[in-house]
């Protein structure tokens, strides 16, 4: 961390103090944020659409895992939003751009035009009180009624205003069963109301990284643009050979990642107690030639879900860099935050090469629809004839 000493006029200093008080931030954080926005704005002004084959926006961006996948597929990110200040720090370190903060405070009209909307939105239950009342009165309800007050509402209002060609939404596997299935039902109804054809599937990241990680992906295409006969399949191309744990591990690891005797004893006793009760809870030792359990945002607490055996020593937790590799991030990805924050960030992120593969499929589908019809038919006939 570097230090910079600034000189400024008294009037500017007092204005800065007022901004700091209104924002509830320290003077240092206020200045840092202003500098970041200045740098981000200058970089954005230098960009042109020709830099990418298509444009996309990155909502609930985290540390940019989805962005990397779509950039690798040929896209250019024209807007990003993420409220967590530590994730913003990591995002800026890697992309040179500060994501906008609270998306609920951003007008949809202020978001740039884009081809694809990308979002890893949080899973929240929808209130049905207002909807039930309208139903009892025989009045129709729309996504504004069903999703108001949730962050998914912000995805919908941006889709409605900007009408991108397509979108990709990512969430936990349990989205389908959340709130007894009502959450997923409302999501599908809302997207359908907005005139998007939706396809979804639960996909496992272990075909790309040595980790069992199931997430649901929802892909949608604009029916007003492409019609109602849209066909899309998650025909993925898994990585070969399939990665295993030893592929991502460092040889020399700092001793601070080795579990203390006290913590290791606690984890063993905890596992034994649950095993005796017939439960499957407990720590997990990842086999070098196998895959790991799913890494979560709580990994920073004790690392128990993914431990690495060590000869003659207690097991150790993964390092932040190994966690990055476990999610498919390149080694060039910068980690400017503490280990605790890094564990939370990678635990909340996505399997980058999986997202890249889905992005490629989406881009190919969009390209197909934008080709001259005769060319499109010819290609399909050649595929069917085995050429």
């Amino acid at each position: 961390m570097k230090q910079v000493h600034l000189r400024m006029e008294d009037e500017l200093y007092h204005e800065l103090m007022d901004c700091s008080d209104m924002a509830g931030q320290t003077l240092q954080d206020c200045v840092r944020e202003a500098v970041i926005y200045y740098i981000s704005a200058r970089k954005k002004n230098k960009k042109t659409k020709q830099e990418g084959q298509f444009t996309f926006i990155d909502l609930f961006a985290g540390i940019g895992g989805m962005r990397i996948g779509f950039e690798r597929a040929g896209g250019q990110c024209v807007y990003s939003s993420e409220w967590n200040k530590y994730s913003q720090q990591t995002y800026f370190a890697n992309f040179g751009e500060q994501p906008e903060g609270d998306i609920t405070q951003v007008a949809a009209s202020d978001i740039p035009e884009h081809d694809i909307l990308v979002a890893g939105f949080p899973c929240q239950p929808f209130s049905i009180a207002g909807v039930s009342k309208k139903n009892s009165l025989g009045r129709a309800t729309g996504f504004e009624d069903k999703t108001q007050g949730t962050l998914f509402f912000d995805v919908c209002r941006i889709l409605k205003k900007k009408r991108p060609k397509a979108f990709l939404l990512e969430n936990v596997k349990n989205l389908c069963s959340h709130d007894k299935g009502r959450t997923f039902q409302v999501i599908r109804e809302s997207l359908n109301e907005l005139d998007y054809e939706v396809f979804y599937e639960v996909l496992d990241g272990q075909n790309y990284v040595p980790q069992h990680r199931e997430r649901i992906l929802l892909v949608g295409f604009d029916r007003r643009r492409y019609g109602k006969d849209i066909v899309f399949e998650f025909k993925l191309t898994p990585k070969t050979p399939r990665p295993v744990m030893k592929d991502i591990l460092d040889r020399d690891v700092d001793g601070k990642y080795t579990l203390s005797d006290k913590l290791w004893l606690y984890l063993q006793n905890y596992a034994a107690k649950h095993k005796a009760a017939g439960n499957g809870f407990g720590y997990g030792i990842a086999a070098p030639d196998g895959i790991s359990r799913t890494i979560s945002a709580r990994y920073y607490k004790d690392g128990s879900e993914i431990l690495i055996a060590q000869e003659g020593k207690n097991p150790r937790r993964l390092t932040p860099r190994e966690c990055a590799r476990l999610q498919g991030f390149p080694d060039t990805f910068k980690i400017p935050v503490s280990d605790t924050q890094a564990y939370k960030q990678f635990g909340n992120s996505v399997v980058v090469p999986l997202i890249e593969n889905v992005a490629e499929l989406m881009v190919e589908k969009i390209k197909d629809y934008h080709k001259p019809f005769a060319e499109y038919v010819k290609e399909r006939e050649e595929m069917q004839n085995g050429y």
Side-chain angles (χ1 to χ4, degrees):
M1 187 75 72
K2 305 294 183 184
Q3 290 189 352
V4 177
H5 298 276
L6 299 175
R7 287 185 177 184
M8 61 185 69
E9 297 83 356
D10 288 349
E11 184 178 342
L12 180 58
Y13 175 78
H14 291 304
E15 288 284 348
L16 189 60
M17 288 293 291
D18 289 342
C19 287
S20 174
D21 289 339
M22 285 189 291
Q25 294 178 307
T26 64
L27 192 62
Q28 177 177 309
D29 285 345
C30 209
V31 171
R32 180 180 178 277
E33 192 169 291
V35 171
I36 286 173
Y37 273 112
Y38 173 74
I39 293 172
S40 297
R42 285 180 64 87
K43 288 190 174 183
K44 285 180 181 177
N45 287 337
K46 290 180 181 179
K47 286 189 173 181
T48 62
K49 188 168 182 177
Q50 283 70 36
E51 288 186 20
Q53 299 173 28
F54 63 93
T55 56
F56 68 95
I57 63 171
D58 192 14
L59 304 181
F60 311 103
I63 57 175
M66 303 263 274
R67 174 171 177 154
I68 295 174
F70 273 80
E71 284 184 338
R72 286 178 176 174
Q76 178 195 341
C77 184
V78 294
Y79 177 84
S80 59
S81 174
E82 169 56 46
W83 70 272
N84 182 273
K85 68 176 184 178
Y86 297 108
S87 293
Q88 286 181 337
Q89 188 177 341
T90 300
Y91 200 98
F92 181 79
N94 286 280
F95 305 106
E97 297 173 13
Q98 175 84 344
E100 192 120 36
D102 186 356
I103 191 63
T104 66
Q105 302 303 309
V106 179
S109 56
D110 291 339
I111 293 175
E113 299 296 323
H114 53 279
D115 297 315
I116 301 176
L117 179 149
V118 178
F121 69 98
C123 185
Q124 297 173 286
F126 298 113
S127 172
I128 60 170
V131 176
S132 298
K133 183 178 179 180
K134 276 199 170 187
N135 286 340
S136 67
L137 296 172
R139 293 160 58 191
T141 62
F143 83 84
E144 285 96 343
D145 303 290
K146 297 174 184 175
T147 67
Q148 189 70 254
T150 69
L151 293 171
F152 181 70
F153 169 79
D154 297 286
V155 172
C156 289
R157 67 183 176 86
I158 294 169
L159 286 173
K160 181 179 181 181
K161 180 70 176 179
K162 294 299 179 179
R163 293 218 65 84
K165 298 172 183 175
F167 63 74
L168 173 66
L169 308 181
E170 182 267 354
N171 213 298
V172 294
K173 174 187 175 182
N174 292 338
L175 176 67
C176 295
S177 57
H178 187 260
D179 193 22
K180 298 181 180 179
R182 285 189 288 262
T183 299
F184 195 53
Q185 180 183 347
V186 170
I187 287 172
R188 293 180 64 191
E189 288 175 354
S190 300
L191 296 172
N192 182 63
E193 179 196 333
L194 289 167
D195 235 355
Y196 279 89
E197 192 72 23
V198 181
F199 307 86
Y200 63 91
E201 193 162 325
V202 174
L203 301 173
D204 196 334
Q206 67 176 296
N207 290 317
Y208 303 86
V209 294
Q211 176 193 183
H212 173 59
R213 187 180 189 85
E214 291 182 306
R215 290 293 184 270
I216 187 168
L217 296 183
L218 294 90
V219 170
F221 296 94
D222 183 8
R223 286 197 291 248
R224 296 181 192 174
R225 191 187 303 256
Y226 303 123
K228 296 182 178 180
D229 298 323
I230 302 170
V231 178
F232 179 81
E233 294 181 81
F234 291 90
K235 286 189 175 181
L236 303 179
T237 308
K239 188 175 180 180
T240 54
R242 183 176 292 188
V244 293
M245 283 301 293
K246 65 183 179 183
D247 296 330
I248 66 144
L249 300 180
D250 286 322
R251 291 186 178 181
D252 298 315
V253 176
D254 194 305
K256 68 179 181 179
Y257 297 105
T258 297
L259 301 188
S260 66
D261 290 340
K262 182 178 180 180
L263 177 55
W264 179 222
L265 180 62
Y266 167 79
L267 292 178
Q268 291 179 91
N269 290 338
Y270 182 85
K273 180 177 72 173
H274 281 280
K275 185 177 181 180
N279 299 325
F281 300 107
Y283 62 86
I285 302 286
D289 292 316
I291 64 172
S292 75
R293 295 180 180 178
T294 303
I295 191 170
S296 68
R298 70 166 297 283
Y299 190 74
Y300 74 95
K301 292 185 177 181
D302 54 32
S304 61
E305 62 259 46
I306 308 172
L307 295 174
I308 306 301
Q310 300 185 104
E311 190 173 347
K313 291 190 289 187
N314 294 342
R316 68 171 179 87
R317 54 169 61 100
L318 296 171
T319 67
R321 177 57 63 193
E322 290 170 332
C323 291
R325 293 177 191 143
L326 193 65
Q327 292 280 50
F329 283 80
D331 278 358
T332 53
F333 191 84
K334 300 182 182 79
I335 307 175
V337 294
S338 68
D339 283 3
T340 295
Q341 290 301 326
Y343 286 137
K344 289 180 181 180
Q345 291 174 3
F346 290 118
N348 276 326
S349 194
V350 296
V351 174
V352 174
L354 170 58
I355 297 299
E356 178 186 358
N357 199 166
V358 175
E360 290 169 344
L361 294 175
M362 293 177 65
V363 173
E364 284 304 310
K365 175 59 66 175
I366 290 172
K367 283 181 179 178
D368 275 349
Y369 280 118
H370 283 271
K371 287 177 181 175
F373 186 69
E375 182 182 342
Y376 176 78
V377 172
K378 181 181 178 183
E379 283 191 1
R380 284 288 170 262
E381 288 177 348
E382 288 178 348
M383 288 177 62
Q384 291 171 2
N385 294 329
Y387 294 133

